[in-house]
Amino acid sequence: MTITADTLPGTQAVRRRHADQPRPAGSGARTAALKRAALLDGLLGDPHDPLNEHGFAAFVAADRNRRPPADTEQLLVEAGLGTEFVPARYGGALTRADLLLRVLRPVFRRDVALGFGCGVTSSFAASAVWAAGTDTQRRSTAALLLGGGRATVVHPGLALAGGVLRDEFTVRRSAAGSLILSGRKDLIIDAERADAYVVHAATATATAPGPRDHSVLLLDPARLPTDRMHRLPRTPSTGMRAAVFSGLRFTECPVPDDALVGHPGEGATLALRTNQVNRCLVAGAVTAAVDPVLRSAVRDATDGRAAPPARRWHRPLAGVFTDLLTCDAMATACLRAASLLPDRAHVPTVAAAYVIPILLEDALEELSAVLGSAGRRGGDLLHGMLAKLVRDLPAAGLGRAGAAACQAVIVPQLRTLATRAWFSEEEPPPGLFRDHACLPPLNHQLLAFAGGADFLAAYLAGSAERLARARSAGGRIGLLGRLVEEFLSELHELREQCSVLPERFSAAMTGPAAGALSDRYGLVVTAAAVLGTWEGQEGEQPFLADPGWAVLALSRLGRRLGIAVPDVPEDCVTDVLDELLRRHRAGRGLDLDGIELAL
């Protein structure tokens, strides 16, 4: 049987929950989010200042000493970061996931572990409550986060820090009818410090693994018997060493009936629905961590002078800058789709969480060549930052384990997309790619799993049609038209290959061949996100409105795909490099927004 939304519990009800939507969030909400991001960046101060207790030196030291940066954590609590994870209807600032991404960037730009310890872990935990919790559960979770408290989530199977947890929790009904929780896990972020736990527990009555074998519990430690719940000692981790990983053990622990989130057996569906946003949010936020590395490479390649770098560094520097814009375009489009197209966003959003880390890993490798040849200004601090970032990315779920989890979601859906969606689905509304468009607020209840839709593939086909006449023209627009045609041909080839995949899970959906299909699919839809971002420009940023950066972005994606791409003219590269140098000198972000930073 083909996996679709209708085959999993709870998703039919989700489709009926379109009533009671809050007012759309438009340019005012975006402006407010960017202001909050700038304010937070200013509070954290110049990260390069060695005397700044919230700077890179402090975070490298915290990582080396395996201790959380307590002063910075307190600053973020006092700054009200917790309000960003609470929907506006419950008194918080959360309206859209793409705007939450903007506010998280100043934190992740400084330290990935800090972003988890004071940010997205609580957001991950709360997402299941926003999606399926009762009003009482939502209000209690909102009060906790608004008050500066922490929540953590305990998923089955794969964990952060690269740990594979074969042990898991189980929940069952006792003879008296009460819920009983048992089990142990040793590697949970913030288990020691959290004020609430969102636990995915195997349902003891399940006879075989499947979509109904887990339930979700919202637990307040203060309501549990102290002799049945135990916080275990801290466990050292390879990455995010300043984060606090420890364990939990429950021994026949009675759990209040009102702890159940959603329906019994709904855990897998909830995880699949909410993790599409959670994983994409992390991938987009971690992109900001590469910003200071690229700046260091620019500084070293120019030797701190106003002169441009040597010609041999033009393409690496311009290319990595373009890759950061590409990552932002992909993350932003998918997170906006979670608001605008919640029943069509699942596979592209998981693809974003899959492709972005690959691009970032390649970017760091490319920058290492610049830093290794020209680098002499960053010294031990730069080395410490780079080593820390390389360790932290896999720990954040963006390494091989995270890629495997994304592939496991993407590959089984490719046949359905090939036979039902590609080249037949309508394009997404134009507002998806416009910064000032009014979009519905994020409603976790509406997020669907395996909806059989692909808005980015649809956009690629539409963009190719619009650019068809430009293919014979000269200049950058003609070159862009030729590149888009190559990506469209790749999608046609993918459709042929994916349409013959088996309907049921089999060996054809595992191994290198399946991985290659997910690789190709992810790069194709990432190209569509770049095109949408370029076409969606509204005149405020001439650089992004020019096709030059999109030409370079698609060229780099095409080379990764192994398709025939024309040579990128030198003036495209120099224009992108000039924008990078302008932003570097002006202290502006190296993302789509380019806001002024505290440097």
Short mmCIF file of all heavy atoms in Angstrom, two decimals, residues 423 456-471 476-492 524 527-532 534-535 547 550-551 553-555 558 561 563-566:
data_model
loop_
_atom_site.label_atom_id
_atom_site.label_comp_id
_atom_site.label_asym_id
_atom_site.label_seq_id
_atom_site.Cartn_x
_atom_site.Cartn_y
_atom_site.Cartn_z
N PHE A 423 4.79 17.71 -12.68
CA PHE A 423 4.29 18.16 -13.98
C PHE A 423 2.76 18.13 -14.08
O PHE A 423 2.22 18.28 -15.17
CB PHE A 423 4.91 17.34 -15.12
CG PHE A 423 6.41 17.41 -15.15
CD1 PHE A 423 7.18 16.33 -14.71
CD2 PHE A 423 7.05 18.56 -15.58
CE1 PHE A 423 8.56 16.41 -14.71
CE2 PHE A 423 8.43 18.63 -15.59
CZ PHE A 423 9.19 17.56 -15.16
N LEU A 456 7.59 22.83 -4.70
CA LEU A 456 8.81 23.32 -5.33
C LEU A 456 9.00 22.74 -6.73
O LEU A 456 9.42 23.44 -7.65
CB LEU A 456 10.02 23.00 -4.46
CG LEU A 456 10.21 23.91 -3.23
CD1 LEU A 456 11.40 23.47 -2.41
CD2 LEU A 456 10.36 25.38 -3.64
N ALA A 457 8.70 21.46 -6.91
CA ALA A 457 8.77 20.89 -8.25
C ALA A 457 7.79 21.58 -9.18
O ALA A 457 8.08 21.83 -10.36
CB ALA A 457 8.49 19.38 -8.20
N ALA A 458 6.60 21.90 -8.66
CA ALA A 458 5.61 22.62 -9.45
C ALA A 458 6.14 24.00 -9.83
O ALA A 458 5.93 24.48 -10.96
CB ALA A 458 4.30 22.73 -8.69
N TYR A 459 6.83 24.64 -8.90
CA TYR A 459 7.36 25.97 -9.20
C TYR A 459 8.46 25.88 -10.25
O TYR A 459 8.55 26.76 -11.13
CB TYR A 459 7.91 26.64 -7.94
CG TYR A 459 8.22 28.09 -8.17
CD1 TYR A 459 7.24 29.06 -7.99
CD2 TYR A 459 9.47 28.50 -8.62
CE1 TYR A 459 7.51 30.40 -8.24
CE2 TYR A 459 9.75 29.82 -8.88
CZ TYR A 459 8.75 30.77 -8.69
OH TYR A 459 9.02 32.09 -8.96
N LEU A 460 9.29 24.86 -10.18
CA LEU A 460 10.35 24.71 -11.18
C LEU A 460 9.76 24.62 -12.59
O LEU A 460 10.25 25.26 -13.52
CB LEU A 460 11.17 23.45 -10.88
CG LEU A 460 12.29 23.15 -11.86
CD1 LEU A 460 13.38 24.21 -11.80
CD2 LEU A 460 12.88 21.76 -11.60
N ALA A 461 8.69 23.83 -12.74
CA ALA A 461 8.06 23.69 -14.07
C ALA A 461 7.50 25.02 -14.53
O ALA A 461 7.63 25.40 -15.71
CB ALA A 461 6.97 22.62 -14.01
N GLY A 462 6.86 25.75 -13.62
CA GLY A 462 6.30 27.05 -13.99
C GLY A 462 7.37 28.06 -14.34
O GLY A 462 7.24 28.83 -15.30
N SER A 463 8.45 28.07 -13.58
CA SER A 463 9.55 29.00 -13.85
C SER A 463 10.20 28.69 -15.20
O SER A 463 10.56 29.60 -15.95
CB SER A 463 10.57 28.93 -12.72
OG SER A 463 11.62 29.85 -12.93
N ALA A 464 10.36 27.40 -15.49
CA ALA A 464 10.95 27.03 -16.78
C ALA A 464 10.10 27.52 -17.94
O ALA A 464 10.61 27.97 -18.97
CB ALA A 464 11.12 25.51 -16.84
N GLU A 465 8.79 27.44 -17.77
CA GLU A 465 7.90 27.92 -18.84
C GLU A 465 8.03 29.43 -19.01
O GLU A 465 8.06 29.94 -20.14
CB GLU A 465 6.46 27.55 -18.49
CG GLU A 465 5.46 27.92 -19.58
CD GLU A 465 4.05 27.46 -19.24
OE1 GLU A 465 3.89 26.66 -18.30
OE2 GLU A 465 3.11 27.92 -19.92
N ARG A 466 8.14 30.15 -17.90
CA ARG A 466 8.28 31.61 -18.00
C ARG A 466 9.61 32.01 -18.62
O ARG A 466 9.71 33.05 -19.30
CB ARG A 466 8.14 32.24 -16.60
CG ARG A 466 6.73 32.25 -16.07
CD ARG A 466 6.61 33.02 -14.77
NE ARG A 466 7.30 32.36 -13.67
CZ ARG A 466 6.76 31.40 -12.93
NH1 ARG A 466 5.54 30.96 -13.21
NH2 ARG A 466 7.42 30.85 -11.93
N LEU A 467 10.65 31.21 -18.38
CA LEU A 467 11.97 31.55 -18.89
C LEU A 467 12.27 30.92 -20.25
O LEU A 467 13.38 31.08 -20.78
CB LEU A 467 13.04 31.11 -17.89
CG LEU A 467 13.16 31.96 -16.61
CD1 LEU A 467 14.00 31.25 -15.56
CD2 LEU A 467 13.75 33.33 -16.94
N ALA A 468 11.31 30.19 -20.81
CA ALA A 468 11.56 29.47 -22.06
C ALA A 468 12.01 30.40 -23.18
O ALA A 468 12.93 30.08 -23.94
CB ALA A 468 10.31 28.70 -22.48
N ARG A 469 11.35 31.54 -23.27
CA ARG A 469 11.71 32.46 -24.36
C ARG A 469 13.08 33.09 -24.15
O ARG A 469 13.69 33.58 -25.10
CB ARG A 469 10.65 33.55 -24.48
CG ARG A 469 9.33 33.06 -25.05
CD ARG A 469 8.38 34.22 -25.31
NE ARG A 469 8.00 34.89 -24.07
CZ ARG A 469 6.99 34.52 -23.29
NH1 ARG A 469 6.27 33.46 -23.62
NH2 ARG A 469 6.69 35.18 -22.19
N ALA A 470 13.56 33.07 -22.89
CA ALA A 470 14.84 33.71 -22.61
C ALA A 470 16.03 32.83 -22.96
O ALA A 470 17.17 33.30 -23.00
CB ALA A 470 14.91 34.08 -21.12
N ARG A 471 15.78 31.54 -23.23
CA ARG A 471 16.90 30.63 -23.47
C ARG A 471 17.71 31.03 -24.71
O ARG A 471 18.92 30.80 -24.77
CB ARG A 471 16.39 29.20 -23.63
CG ARG A 471 15.85 28.61 -22.34
CD ARG A 471 15.83 27.10 -22.41
NE ARG A 471 14.98 26.60 -23.49
CZ ARG A 471 13.67 26.36 -23.36
NH1 ARG A 471 13.07 26.59 -22.21
NH2 ARG A 471 12.97 25.90 -24.39
N ARG A 476 22.69 37.31 -18.88
CA ARG A 476 22.45 36.47 -17.71
C ARG A 476 21.08 35.82 -17.74
O ARG A 476 20.92 34.68 -17.31
CB ARG A 476 22.59 37.32 -16.45
CG ARG A 476 23.98 37.90 -16.27
CD ARG A 476 24.07 38.79 -15.04
NE ARG A 476 25.42 39.34 -14.92
CZ ARG A 476 25.81 40.10 -13.91
NH1 ARG A 476 24.97 40.40 -12.93
NH2 ARG A 476 27.06 40.56 -13.88
N ILE A 477 20.08 36.52 -18.22
CA ILE A 477 18.74 35.96 -18.22
C ILE A 477 18.65 34.77 -19.17
O ILE A 477 17.98 33.78 -18.89
CB ILE A 477 17.69 37.05 -18.57
CG1 ILE A 477 16.28 36.55 -18.26
CG2 ILE A 477 17.80 37.49 -20.01
CD1 ILE A 477 15.98 36.46 -16.80
N GLY A 478 19.34 34.88 -20.31
CA GLY A 478 19.38 33.75 -21.23
C GLY A 478 20.10 32.55 -20.63
O GLY A 478 19.67 31.40 -20.79
N LEU A 479 21.19 32.83 -19.94
CA LEU A 479 21.95 31.76 -19.29
C LEU A 479 21.10 31.10 -18.20
O LEU A 479 21.11 29.86 -18.05
CB LEU A 479 23.23 32.33 -18.70
CG LEU A 479 24.21 31.35 -18.07
CD1 LEU A 479 24.58 30.24 -19.04
CD2 LEU A 479 25.47 32.09 -17.60
N LEU A 480 20.35 31.90 -17.46
CA LEU A 480 19.47 31.34 -16.43
C LEU A 480 18.41 30.45 -17.05
O LEU A 480 18.10 29.37 -16.52
CB LEU A 480 18.83 32.47 -15.62
CG LEU A 480 18.02 32.06 -14.40
CD1 LEU A 480 18.89 31.31 -13.39
CD2 LEU A 480 17.39 33.28 -13.74
N GLY A 481 17.87 30.88 -18.18
CA GLY A 481 16.87 30.06 -18.86
C GLY A 481 17.43 28.71 -19.28
O GLY A 481 16.76 27.68 -19.17
N ARG A 482 18.67 28.69 -19.76
CA ARG A 482 19.29 27.43 -20.16
C ARG A 482 19.52 26.53 -18.95
O ARG A 482 19.33 25.31 -19.00
CB ARG A 482 20.61 27.71 -20.87
CG ARG A 482 20.44 28.35 -22.25
CD ARG A 482 21.74 28.99 -22.73
NE ARG A 482 22.84 28.03 -22.77
CZ ARG A 482 24.12 28.38 -22.87
NH1 ARG A 482 24.44 29.69 -22.94
NH2 ARG A 482 25.06 27.47 -22.91
N LEU A 483 19.93 27.12 -17.83
CA LEU A 483 20.15 26.34 -16.62
C LEU A 483 18.85 25.72 -16.11
O LEU A 483 18.81 24.55 -15.72
CB LEU A 483 20.77 27.23 -15.54
CG LEU A 483 22.26 27.54 -15.69
CD1 LEU A 483 22.66 28.71 -14.81
CD2 LEU A 483 23.10 26.32 -15.34
N VAL A 484 17.79 26.50 -16.13
CA VAL A 484 16.50 25.99 -15.65
C VAL A 484 16.04 24.83 -16.51
O VAL A 484 15.48 23.84 -16.00
CB VAL A 484 15.45 27.12 -15.64
CG1 VAL A 484 14.08 26.57 -15.29
CG2 VAL A 484 15.85 28.21 -14.64
N GLU A 485 16.27 24.90 -17.81
CA GLU A 485 15.88 23.81 -18.70
C GLU A 485 16.63 22.52 -18.34
O GLU A 485 16.06 21.42 -18.40
CB GLU A 485 16.16 24.20 -20.15
CG GLU A 485 15.71 23.16 -21.17
CD GLU A 485 14.21 22.93 -21.17
OE1 GLU A 485 13.47 23.83 -20.72
OE2 GLU A 485 13.79 21.84 -21.63
N GLU A 486 17.89 22.65 -17.96
CA GLU A 486 18.66 21.47 -17.55
C GLU A 486 18.06 20.84 -16.28
O GLU A 486 17.98 19.61 -16.17
CB GLU A 486 20.12 21.84 -17.31
CG GLU A 486 20.89 22.23 -18.56
CD GLU A 486 21.08 21.05 -19.52
OE1 GLU A 486 21.00 19.89 -19.07
OE2 GLU A 486 21.30 21.30 -20.72
N PHE A 487 17.67 21.67 -15.33
CA PHE A 487 17.07 21.14 -14.11
C PHE A 487 15.70 20.51 -14.39
O PHE A 487 15.33 19.51 -13.77
CB PHE A 487 16.94 22.24 -13.06
CG PHE A 487 18.22 22.50 -12.30
CD1 PHE A 487 19.12 23.45 -12.73
CD2 PHE A 487 18.51 21.76 -11.16
CE1 PHE A 487 20.30 23.67 -12.04
CE2 PHE A 487 19.69 21.98 -10.46
CZ PHE A 487 20.60 22.95 -10.91
N LEU A 488 14.97 21.10 -15.31
CA LEU A 488 13.68 20.51 -15.68
C LEU A 488 13.88 19.14 -16.34
O LEU A 488 13.12 18.20 -16.06
CB LEU A 488 12.92 21.45 -16.63
CG LEU A 488 11.44 21.13 -16.84
CD1 LEU A 488 10.67 21.37 -15.55
CD2 LEU A 488 10.87 21.99 -17.97
N SER A 489 14.89 19.03 -17.16
CA SER A 489 15.20 17.73 -17.77
C SER A 489 15.57 16.71 -16.70
O SER A 489 15.19 15.53 -16.79
CB SER A 489 16.35 17.87 -18.77
OG SER A 489 15.97 18.72 -19.85
N GLU A 490 16.29 17.16 -15.70
CA GLU A 490 16.65 16.26 -14.60
C GLU A 490 15.40 15.78 -13.85
O GLU A 490 15.30 14.61 -13.47
CB GLU A 490 17.60 16.98 -13.63
CG GLU A 490 18.04 16.15 -12.44
CD GLU A 490 19.02 15.06 -12.79
OE1 GLU A 490 19.49 15.00 -13.95
OE2 GLU A 490 19.34 14.23 -11.90
N LEU A 491 14.42 16.68 -13.67
CA LEU A 491 13.18 16.28 -13.01
C LEU A 491 12.41 15.28 -13.87
O LEU A 491 11.81 14.33 -13.34
CB LEU A 491 12.33 17.52 -12.71
CG LEU A 491 11.04 17.26 -11.92
CD1 LEU A 491 11.35 16.65 -10.56
CD2 LEU A 491 10.24 18.56 -11.75
N HIS A 492 12.40 15.47 -15.18
CA HIS A 492 11.77 14.49 -16.07
C HIS A 492 12.42 13.12 -15.92
O HIS A 492 11.74 12.08 -15.85
CB HIS A 492 11.87 14.95 -17.53
CG HIS A 492 10.80 15.91 -17.94
ND1 HIS A 492 9.49 15.54 -18.13
CD2 HIS A 492 10.86 17.26 -18.22
CE1 HIS A 492 8.78 16.59 -18.50
NE2 HIS A 492 9.58 17.64 -18.56
N VAL A 524 17.40 19.35 -7.03
CA VAL A 524 16.47 19.91 -8.02
C VAL A 524 15.50 20.88 -7.36
O VAL A 524 15.27 21.99 -7.86
CB VAL A 524 15.72 18.78 -8.74
CG1 VAL A 524 14.53 19.34 -9.52
CG2 VAL A 524 16.65 18.04 -9.70
N ALA A 527 17.09 24.15 -6.35
CA ALA A 527 17.18 25.09 -7.47
C ALA A 527 15.87 25.84 -7.65
O ALA A 527 15.86 27.05 -7.95
CB ALA A 527 17.53 24.33 -8.75
N ALA A 528 14.74 25.17 -7.45
CA ALA A 528 13.44 25.83 -7.56
C ALA A 528 13.29 26.92 -6.50
O ALA A 528 12.73 28.00 -6.77
CB ALA A 528 12.32 24.80 -7.42
N ALA A 529 13.80 26.67 -5.29
CA ALA A 529 13.73 27.68 -4.23
C ALA A 529 14.55 28.91 -4.59
O ALA A 529 14.16 30.05 -4.30
CB ALA A 529 14.20 27.08 -2.90
N VAL A 530 15.71 28.71 -5.21
CA VAL A 530 16.53 29.83 -5.66
C VAL A 530 15.77 30.65 -6.71
O VAL A 530 15.72 31.89 -6.65
CB VAL A 530 17.87 29.32 -6.24
CG1 VAL A 530 18.62 30.45 -6.95
CG2 VAL A 530 18.72 28.73 -5.13
N LEU A 531 15.16 29.97 -7.67
CA LEU A 531 14.41 30.67 -8.71
C LEU A 531 13.25 31.45 -8.12
O LEU A 531 12.99 32.60 -8.51
CB LEU A 531 13.89 29.66 -9.74
CG LEU A 531 14.95 29.03 -10.64
CD1 LEU A 531 14.37 27.82 -11.37
CD2 LEU A 531 15.48 30.05 -11.63
N GLY A 532 12.54 30.84 -7.17
CA GLY A 532 11.43 31.54 -6.54
C GLY A 532 11.88 32.78 -5.79
O GLY A 532 11.23 33.82 -5.84
N TRP A 534 14.56 34.57 -6.46
CA TRP A 534 14.93 35.59 -7.45
C TRP A 534 13.69 36.23 -8.06
O TRP A 534 13.58 37.46 -8.13
CB TRP A 534 15.80 34.95 -8.53
CG TRP A 534 15.99 35.84 -9.73
CD1 TRP A 534 16.68 37.02 -9.77
CD2 TRP A 534 15.43 35.65 -11.03
NE1 TRP A 534 16.60 37.57 -11.03
CE2 TRP A 534 15.83 36.74 -11.82
CE3 TRP A 534 14.64 34.65 -11.60
CZ2 TRP A 534 15.46 36.87 -13.16
CZ3 TRP A 534 14.28 34.76 -12.93
CH2 TRP A 534 14.69 35.86 -13.69
N GLU A 535 12.74 35.42 -8.49
CA GLU A 535 11.53 35.96 -9.13
C GLU A 535 10.67 36.74 -8.15
O GLU A 535 9.91 37.62 -8.56
CB GLU A 535 10.71 34.83 -9.74
CG GLU A 535 11.30 34.24 -11.01
CD GLU A 535 10.32 33.35 -11.74
OE1 GLU A 535 10.13 32.19 -11.31
OE2 GLU A 535 9.75 33.82 -12.74
N PRO A 547 19.73 38.53 -11.99
CA PRO A 547 19.85 37.07 -12.14
C PRO A 547 21.24 36.51 -11.92
O PRO A 547 21.43 35.29 -11.90
CB PRO A 547 19.39 36.83 -13.58
CG PRO A 547 19.61 38.12 -14.27
CD PRO A 547 19.40 39.20 -13.26
N ALA A 550 21.63 34.04 -9.03
CA ALA A 550 20.87 32.82 -9.31
C ALA A 550 21.58 31.96 -10.33
O ALA A 550 21.56 30.72 -10.25
CB ALA A 550 19.46 33.18 -9.78
N VAL A 551 22.23 32.58 -11.32
CA VAL A 551 23.02 31.83 -12.31
C VAL A 551 24.14 31.07 -11.61
O VAL A 551 24.35 29.87 -11.85
CB VAL A 551 23.59 32.79 -13.37
CG1 VAL A 551 24.68 32.09 -14.19
CG2 VAL A 551 22.47 33.29 -14.29
N ALA A 553 24.30 30.26 -8.43
CA ALA A 553 23.72 29.26 -7.52
C ALA A 553 23.31 28.00 -8.27
O ALA A 553 23.63 26.88 -7.85
CB ALA A 553 22.52 29.86 -6.79
N LEU A 554 22.60 28.16 -9.38
CA LEU A 554 22.15 27.00 -10.15
C LEU A 554 23.33 26.28 -10.79
O LEU A 554 23.31 25.04 -10.93
CB LEU A 554 21.13 27.41 -11.21
CG LEU A 554 19.66 27.24 -10.80
CD1 LEU A 554 19.31 28.10 -9.59
CD2 LEU A 554 18.74 27.55 -11.96
N SER A 555 24.34 27.02 -11.18
CA SER A 555 25.53 26.39 -11.76
C SER A 555 26.20 25.47 -10.74
O SER A 555 26.59 24.34 -11.05
CB SER A 555 26.51 27.46 -12.23
OG SER A 555 27.72 26.89 -12.66
N GLY A 558 24.01 22.47 -10.17
CA GLY A 558 24.07 21.60 -11.33
C GLY A 558 25.33 20.77 -11.37
O GLY A 558 25.31 19.59 -11.75
N LEU A 561 24.96 17.91 -9.20
CA LEU A 561 24.09 16.92 -9.82
C LEU A 561 24.79 16.17 -10.94
O LEU A 561 24.35 15.08 -11.33
CB LEU A 561 22.85 17.61 -10.39
CG LEU A 561 21.61 17.72 -9.52
CD1 LEU A 561 20.58 18.62 -10.16
CD2 LEU A 561 21.02 16.33 -9.26
N ILE A 563 25.03 17.44 -14.03
CA ILE A 563 24.40 17.77 -15.30
C ILE A 563 25.25 18.79 -16.04
O ILE A 563 26.11 19.45 -15.46
CB ILE A 563 22.97 18.32 -15.09
CG1 ILE A 563 22.99 19.63 -14.28
CG2 ILE A 563 22.09 17.29 -14.40
CD1 ILE A 563 21.61 20.24 -14.09
N ALA A 564 25.00 18.92 -17.32
CA ALA A 564 25.77 19.85 -18.15
C ALA A 564 25.37 21.28 -17.82
O ALA A 564 24.20 21.65 -17.97
CB ALA A 564 25.53 19.56 -19.62
N VAL A 565 26.31 22.07 -17.35
CA VAL A 565 26.02 23.47 -17.05
C VAL A 565 27.01 24.34 -17.81
O VAL A 565 28.20 24.01 -17.91
CB VAL A 565 26.13 23.75 -15.53
CG1 VAL A 565 25.04 23.03 -14.77
CG2 VAL A 565 27.48 23.36 -14.98
N PRO A 566 26.54 25.44 -18.35
CA PRO A 566 27.46 26.34 -19.07
C PRO A 566 28.39 27.06 -18.09
O PRO A 566 28.10 27.15 -16.90
CB PRO A 566 26.50 27.32 -19.76
CG PRO A 566 25.25 27.28 -18.94
CD PRO A 566 25.14 25.90 -18.40
#
